[in-house]
Amino acid sequence: MKMALRACLRTKPGLTALLSQLSCSGHAAARRAPALVAQRSSSSTSQKIKVDFDQSSGVAVMHMQSPPVNSLSLEFLTDVCIALEKLEMDKSCRGLVVTSSQPKVFSAGLDILDMYGKSPEHCAEFWKAVQEMWLKFYGSNMITIAAVNGSSPAGGCLLSMTCDYRIMADNPRYSIGLNETKLGIVAPFWFKDTMVNTVGHRATEMALQLGLLYSPAEALKIGLVDQLVHEDQVLTTATETMTKWLAIPDHARQLTKSMMRKPTIDKLAANREADVNNFVKFITKDSIQKSLGMYLEMLKRRKA
Amino acid sequence: MKMALRACLRTKPGLTALLSQLSCSGHAAARRAPALVAQRSSSSTSQKIKVDFDQSSGVAVMHMQSPPVNSLSLEFLTDVCIALEKLEMDKSCRGLVVTSSQPKVFSAGLDILDMYGKSPEHCAEFWKAVQEMWLKFYGSNMITIAAVNGSSPAGGCLLSMTCDYRIMADNPRYSIGLNETKLGIVAPFWFKDTMVNTVGHRATEMALQLGLLYSPAEALKIGLVDQLVHEDQVLTTATETMTKWLAIPDHARQLTKSMMRKPTIDKLAANREADVNNFVKFITKDSIQKSLGMYLEMLKRRKA
Amino acid sequence: MKMALRACLRTKPGLTALLSQLSCSGHAAARRAPALVAQRSSSSTSQKIKVDFDQSSGVAVMHMQSPPVNSLSLEFLTDVCIALEKLEMDKSCRGLVVTSSQPKVFSAGLDILDMYGKSPEHCAEFWKAVQEMWLKFYGSNMITIAAVNGSSPAGGCLLSMTCDYRIMADNPRYSIGLNETKLGIVAPFWFKDTMVNTVGHRATEMALQLGLLYSPAEALKIGLVDQLVHEDQVLTTATETMTKWLAIPDHARQLTKSMMRKPTIDKLAANREADVNNFVKFITKDSIQKSLGMYLEMLKRRKA
């Protein structure tokens, strides 16, 4: 029940198995009570996030385990941000690997249920959480490595692009990309900026206009991911890669990372409110709501 | 009698056949009366532009048929802009394929006869028309695909770069590139910006400094074109590719395209007058006029 | 006794032979009296720079011959800038090839001895000279080609990136890159800008965060150099390449080069003093001085 789905349906017949699973669980998710952020545990290990922190190496692994497909709901985003913030404040934590505990998917992206039939206030809260996630990850002082062990459309792709390095499972059934246009939605400027910083202007223009989802091999070719390994090796390769990055003095690395990313981060930081207003105004339009509704209906029918 | 020609002569011996044709027709063109824009028909099908619009698919094909080499004269640019504007205002037209009816050439670029021996006022009018063409194509709401079925130097390359996708004939005798420096002329900043957006900063720096014309294979390698097909397949491939683009909801695609291109468009839009003045001041210099004149003489001698 | 050295030691076992030579000569350099700029000859052929200028072709070759590894000391930078300025003012000089007379190394980068144990005033002088070198080379009106006939870490890489074209010896023992972070130092924004203009944002982000040194083959792949040839052919290939560039009218090429580079140059030109202050404040920190000191000690121990 995720943004990327229609695109998957149309262009990736190999994902049918994944789809039936998604739509099924998506239906369950639809009946879930709205997330109440105030009740969230501030523990870094919520039900939906498991963080393994190895004090000896200084490396934490964040396992996303929000069934069925690690949708970035308001609730889940809040958990993720709290977990990240705790690690960020812990001086002994120098590196973070982000990965998924869900089969076949890294993260299916922003949760449509937080955009459909919701009040403008709810939509605004949701969007602020998306911004917060991006600001925290893209600006993290830690070394961040995405262990992309499954499909990673839309917001899932964004999350992986915030990291310093991306290792993806070399399974042609998986795909990655910002496919928002296929759903009639527009990736905001900071999604675009992040992608331009990753694959350049021209590849981004094509990718965003067409809402392209790339196979792992295609993603490697355009530089959307940095390395492909066998599915079983994604996490271990991430850990090995982290060792190389840990050899660099933290202070120099952090200043360098900030120099590269600060202009992009400052652009959103200076325009958060306007960006929230844009999103709310767009997403609450009758035409957009109707198209989201039809999309959800289609998923239910497929499930039935 | 086009900018690119000297470059072709020097570096592409395979183009000799094309050359004799060019210089021959160029001579004829030299005797043509100055274009009188006021007398132009506003019909979308002028003598020099043929537009086939298929209402059922929503796709128009613009055939450039200005002998001998689709030079972008003031007259022809005006025709092209009028045709584009009509399509742009027709809500049922969603996609546009631009191609050439002339053999072996897509467009040979800006017409030197509109820059040589002309009044500053004429040069200014001409340059405004070049700006207008670029602004309209680069900012078009339609899906634009260039079916580059022949050589495409200088302004011809610029026109193809304004499109959303470029398919080129895989014939090693053809070439594409911004080769202005070879003629002693400088591509203006918005030509440069368009190329940077297409192939990146470094490739643009080399291409523009050296006035490089790329073979189709080289152009594909640096990303100056997106796809090569056999000469006979350029137009049909463009139509097939259009189908993929038409599958994307227009509104989302248009907003995305605008987000990618608006900063570049705004730069020229805010500086049109200064850019015209720069051009007129440069092109009317004695030294530049002299070099254009020698170039035209050389073409006539070759013809004789 | 250069920035790049620790990195070389760690990651390039093949460079051990080079290392013993470096550390040996480095030790000698340590005993060298501080450079007195006022005593420098203003001749374009100082002891450490040999300039061969061929009036007939309009091409000069600058041989860097500052043993052992062409470290960019205050003294040497001053020589280099004086030599460049003389050529720049000579209208008959249109092209410049920069190469090394030292075996196995193009330039080992900024001289640590000008940053370690020196007064803030000396550090400021030194940094101004580094800025001056970059401003003069990156903004040169001449065609500049780097004949990279050896390793080229840190400031050596920067120098080669200021040129219009880079030809490197295809010897896997050589490496090139901005490896500052490995020493705990941060490449300033204009090093970063130069690299982004050369290899794009993403490759730069990785390269600078990890302080990567690339083999010639890797450097070619990411576009950090433009061409690889056999060690014996670097200089002759540079001369042949120059001929192609000389075919372009100077005025158009210079305006084009300026259009591409002026925004990057203006950024530093507008912030030179702040950039000097940043450098001095950073380099004179106890922690940074201590780490430079330990590094120099290590080199001495290796020598002994």
Side-chain angles (χ1 to χ4, degrees):
Chain A
M1 205 165 284
K2 299 294 120 16
M3 275 201 195
L5 220 53
R6 192 167 68 179
C8 293
L9 286 172
R10 282 191 180 162
T11 62
K12 298 271 165 185
L15 282 182
T16 314
L18 172 60
L19 164 73
S20 52
Q21 186 204 353
L22 288 178
S23 50
C24 168
S25 318
H27 188 228
R31 284 174 297 177
R32 200 174 65 200
L36 294 178
V37 179
Q39 298 176 357
R40 294 276 94 217
S41 159
S42 70
S43 149
S44 66
T45 305
S46 79
Q47 282 173 312
K48 301 188 163 185
I49 303 271
K50 183 162 143 293
V51 176
D52 294 330
F53 178 35
D54 178 356
Q55 288 271 2
S56 68
S57 68
V59 178
V61 180
M62 181 187 285
H63 302 268
M64 298 185 285
Q65 49 186 26
S66 178
V69 291
N70 293 327
S71 303
L72 303 173
S73 64
L74 174 54
E75 180 187 20
F76 186 57
L77 285 166
T78 308
D79 285 358
V80 167
C81 282
I82 289 170
L84 183 69
E85 205 162 346
K86 282 194 66 165
L87 296 170
E88 199 80 58
M89 288 185 305
D90 183 342
K91 293 292 175 203
S92 66
C93 183
R94 300 176 57 210
L96 172 65
V97 174
V98 184
T99 195
S100 165
S101 300
Q102 303 312 115
K104 299 177 187 162
V105 67
F106 178 71
S107 162
L110 305 186
D111 196 331
I112 291 179
L113 296 177
D114 275 309
M115 316 181 201
Y116 178 66
K118 291 288 183 292
S119 69
E121 290 72 26
H122 182 90
C123 292
E125 277 312 299
F126 173 61
W127 199 248
K128 278 180 210 165
V130 181
Q131 290 179 338
E132 197 65 31
M133 181 270 282
W134 181 82
L135 288 165
K136 282 198 156 56
F137 274 86
Y138 203 57
S140 173
N141 267 323
M142 293 183 287
I143 302 154
T144 52
I145 296 183
V148 185
N149 52 352
S151 281
S152 195
C157 176
L158 180 73
L159 175 57
S160 73
M161 285 195 300
T162 63
C163 292
D164 294 316
Y165 197 78
R166 282 161 288 290
I167 299 159
M168 189 169 183
D170 193 5
N171 182 337
R173 294 183 165 225
Y174 299 157
S175 63
I176 184 168
L178 294 181
N179 58 326
E180 280 79 355
T181 49
K182 282 220 176 97
L183 249 197
I185 300 179
V186 179
F189 73 88
W190 38 289
F191 284 49
K192 180 263 289 175
D193 290 344
T194 313
M195 194 170 205
V196 169
N197 288 351
T198 308
V199 301
H201 190 280
R202 172 60 186 154
T204 301
E205 192 177 80
M206 281 262 284
L208 292 191
Q209 281 210 60
L210 287 166
L212 292 178
L213 287 174
Y214 297 87
S215 71
E218 293 162 342
L220 182 68
K221 198 175 167 198
I222 68 163
L224 185 52
V225 300
D226 298 301
Q227 193 178 350
L228 301 183
V229 297
H230 187 276
E231 202 141 355
D232 298 339
Q233 304 297 315
V234 175
L235 195 52
T236 51
T237 307
T239 311
E240 287 160 20
T241 304
M242 186 61 84
T243 308
K244 274 202 315 187
W245 288 71
L246 290 167
I248 308 298
D250 273 336
H251 190 58
R253 187 191 49 73
Q254 288 162 355
L255 287 172
T256 300
K257 182 172 178 176
S258 168
M259 175 172 66
M260 296 302 301
R261 300 190 169 189
K262 193 168 180 303
T264 307
I265 289 172
D266 286 351
K267 254 176 83 179
L268 177 60
N271 291 287
R272 285 189 73 167
E273 207 175 311
D275 182 63
V276 167
N277 293 341
N278 276 344
F279 172 75
V280 173
K281 194 175 154 189
F282 181 82
I283 208 71
T284 56
K285 272 184 188 165
D286 284 349
S287 59
I288 301 295
Q289 284 291 312
K290 197 176 151 192
S291 112
L292 293 178
M294 280 165 56
Y295 177 57
L296 291 170
E297 274 307 312
M298 183 200 68
L299 290 178
K300 281 184 197 168
R301 276 198 307 276
R302 276 184 185 264
K303 157 98 177 85
Chain B
M1 206 164 282
K2 299 293 121 14
M3 276 199 195
L5 219 53
R6 193 168 66 180
C8 292
L9 287 172
R10 284 191 180 161
T11 63
K12 299 270 164 183
L15 281 182
T16 313
L18 172 59
L19 165 73
S20 51
Q21 187 204 353
L22 286 180
S23 50
C24 169
S25 318
H27 188 230
R31 285 173 296 174
R32 202 174 61 200
L36 294 177
V37 179
Q39 297 176 355
R40 297 276 93 219
S41 159
S42 71
S43 150
S44 68
T45 305
S46 78
Q47 283 172 313
K48 300 189 164 182
I49 303 273
K50 183 162 144 294
V51 176
D52 294 331
F53 178 34
D54 178 355
Q55 287 272 0
S56 68
S57 68
V59 177
V61 180
M62 182 187 285
H63 302 269
M64 297 185 287
Q65 48 187 27
S66 179
V69 290
N70 293 324
S71 302
L72 303 174
S73 64
L74 174 54
E75 180 187 21
F76 186 57
L77 284 166
T78 309
D79 284 358
V80 167
C81 281
I82 289 170
L84 182 69
E85 205 164 345
K86 282 193 67 164
L87 296 170
E88 199 81 59
M89 287 185 306
D90 183 343
K91 293 293 175 202
S92 65
C93 183
R94 300 175 58 208
L96 171 66
V97 174
V98 184
T99 195
S100 165
S101 300
Q102 304 311 115
K104 298 177 188 161
V105 68
F106 178 72
S107 162
L110 305 186
D111 196 331
I112 291 180
L113 296 177
D114 275 309
M115 316 180 201
Y116 178 66
K118 292 286 182 294
S119 69
E121 290 72 24
H122 182 90
C123 292
E125 276 314 298
F126 173 62
W127 199 248
K128 278 180 209 163
V130 181
Q131 290 180 338
E132 197 65 32
M133 181 270 282
W134 182 82
L135 288 165
K136 281 199 159 51
F137 273 87
Y138 203 56
S140 173
N141 268 322
M142 294 184 287
I143 302 154
T144 52
I145 296 183
V148 185
N149 52 352
S151 280
S152 196
C157 176
L158 179 73
L159 175 57
S160 73
M161 285 195 300
T162 64
C163 292
D164 294 318
Y165 197 78
R166 281 160 289 289
I167 298 159
M168 189 170 185
D170 193 4
N171 182 336
R173 290 178 169 232
Y174 299 158
S175 63
I176 184 168
L178 294 181
N179 57 325
E180 281 79 356
T181 49
K182 282 220 176 97
L183 249 197
I185 300 179
V186 179
F189 73 87
W190 39 289
F191 284 48
K192 179 264 288 175
D193 290 344
T194 314
M195 194 170 205
V196 169
N197 288 351
T198 308
V199 302
H201 190 280
R202 172 62 186 153
T204 300
E205 192 176 78
M206 281 261 284
L208 294 191
Q209 281 210 61
L210 287 168
L212 292 178
L213 288 174
Y214 296 89
S215 71
E218 291 163 344
L220 181 68
K221 198 175 167 198
I222 68 162
L224 185 53
V225 299
D226 298 302
Q227 193 178 348
L228 300 183
V229 297
H230 187 273
E231 203 142 353
D232 297 339
Q233 304 298 314
V234 175
L235 195 53
T236 52
T237 307
T239 312
E240 288 160 19
T241 304
M242 187 60 85
T243 309
K244 275 201 316 187
W245 287 70
L246 290 166
I248 308 299
D250 272 336
H251 189 59
R253 185 190 50 72
Q254 288 162 355
L255 287 172
T256 300
K257 182 172 177 177
S258 167
M259 175 173 67
M260 295 302 301
R261 299 189 170 190
K262 194 169 181 300
T264 307
I265 290 172
D266 286 351
K267 254 176 84 179
L268 176 60
N271 291 289
R272 285 190 73 169
E273 208 175 309
D275 182 61
V276 167
N277 294 341
N278 277 344
F279 172 75
V280 173
K281 193 174 155 191
F282 182 81
I283 209 72
T284 56
K285 273 184 188 165
D286 285 349
S287 58
I288 302 294
Q289 284 291 311
K290 196 176 152 193
S291 112
L292 292 178
M294 282 164 56
Y295 178 56
L296 290 170
E297 274 308 312
M298 182 200 70
L299 290 177
K300 280 183 197 167
R301 278 198 308 275
R302 276 182 185 264
K303 157 96 178 84
Chain C
M1 208 165 279
K2 301 293 121 15
M3 273 198 196
L5 219 54
R6 192 167 68 182
C8 293
L9 287 172
R10 283 191 180 162
T11 63
K12 300 270 164 183
L15 282 181
T16 313
L18 171 60
L19 164 72
S20 51
Q21 187 204 355
L22 287 178
S23 50
C24 169
S25 318
H27 188 231
R31 284 174 295 175
R32 202 174 63 200
L36 293 178
V37 179
Q39 298 177 355
R40 294 275 95 218
S41 159
S42 70
S43 150
S44 68
T45 305
S46 79
Q47 283 173 312
K48 302 191 163 181
I49 304 273
K50 181 161 143 295
V51 176
D52 294 331
F53 177 34
D54 178 356
Q55 287 271 2
S56 68
S57 68
V59 177
V61 180
M62 182 187 285
H63 302 268
M64 298 184 286
Q65 49 188 26
S66 178
V69 290
N70 292 326
S71 302
L72 303 173
S73 64
L74 174 54
E75 180 187 20
F76 186 58
L77 285 166
T78 307
D79 284 358
V80 167
C81 281
I82 289 170
L84 182 67
E85 205 162 346
K86 282 192 67 164
L87 296 171
E88 199 80 59
M89 286 185 306
D90 183 342
K91 292 293 174 201
S92 66
C93 183
R94 300 175 58 210
L96 171 64
V97 174
V98 184
T99 194
S100 165
S101 300
Q102 303 312 113
K104 299 178 188 162
V105 68
F106 178 72
S107 162
L110 305 185
D111 195 330
I112 291 179
L113 297 178
D114 274 310
M115 316 180 201
Y116 178 67
K118 292 287 181 295
S119 69
E121 290 71 24
H122 182 91
C123 292
E125 277 314 298
F126 173 61
W127 199 247
K128 277 180 210 165
V130 181
Q131 290 179 338
E132 199 64 32
M133 181 270 283
W134 182 83
L135 288 166
K136 281 198 158 52
F137 273 87
Y138 202 57
S140 172
N141 268 323
M142 294 183 286
I143 302 154
T144 51
I145 297 184
V148 185
N149 52 353
S151 280
S152 195
C157 176
L158 180 74
L159 174 58
S160 72
M161 286 195 300
T162 63
C163 292
D164 293 318
Y165 197 78
R166 280 160 288 290
I167 298 160
M168 189 169 183
D170 194 6
N171 182 336
R173 291 180 169 231
Y174 299 158
S175 63
I176 184 169
L178 294 180
N179 58 325
E180 281 79 355
T181 48
K182 282 217 177 100
L183 249 197
I185 300 180
V186 179
F189 73 88
W190 40 288
F191 284 48
K192 180 264 288 175
D193 289 344
T194 313
M195 193 170 206
V196 168
N197 288 351
T198 308
V199 301
H201 190 280
R202 172 59 186 155
T204 301
E205 192 177 79
M206 281 261 285
L208 293 191
Q209 282 210 59
L210 287 167
L212 291 178
L213 287 173
Y214 296 88
S215 72
E218 292 163 342
L220 182 68
K221 197 174 167 199
I222 68 162
L224 185 52
V225 299
D226 298 302
Q227 193 177 348
L228 301 183
V229 296
H230 187 276
E231 204 142 351
D232 297 340
Q233 303 299 314
V234 175
L235 195 53
T236 53
T237 306
T239 311
E240 288 160 20
T241 303
M242 186 60 85
T243 308
K244 275 201 318 187
W245 287 72
L246 289 168
I248 308 300
D250 272 337
H251 190 59
R253 185 191 51 72
Q254 287 163 355
L255 287 172
T256 300
K257 182 171 177 177
S258 168
M259 175 172 67
M260 296 302 302
R261 299 190 169 188
K262 192 168 180 301
T264 307
I265 290 172
D266 286 351
K267 255 176 82 180
L268 177 60
N271 290 287
R272 285 189 73 167
E273 207 175 311
D275 182 62
V276 167
N277 293 341
N278 275 344
F279 172 76
V280 173
K281 194 175 154 190
F282 181 81
I283 210 71
T284 56
K285 272 184 188 165
D286 285 349
S287 59
I288 301 296
Q289 285 290 313
K290 195 176 152 194
S291 112
L292 292 177
M294 281 164 55
Y295 177 57
L296 291 171
E297 274 306 313
M298 183 200 69
L299 289 177
K300 282 183 197 166
R301 278 197 307 276
R302 277 182 184 266
K303 157 97 177 83

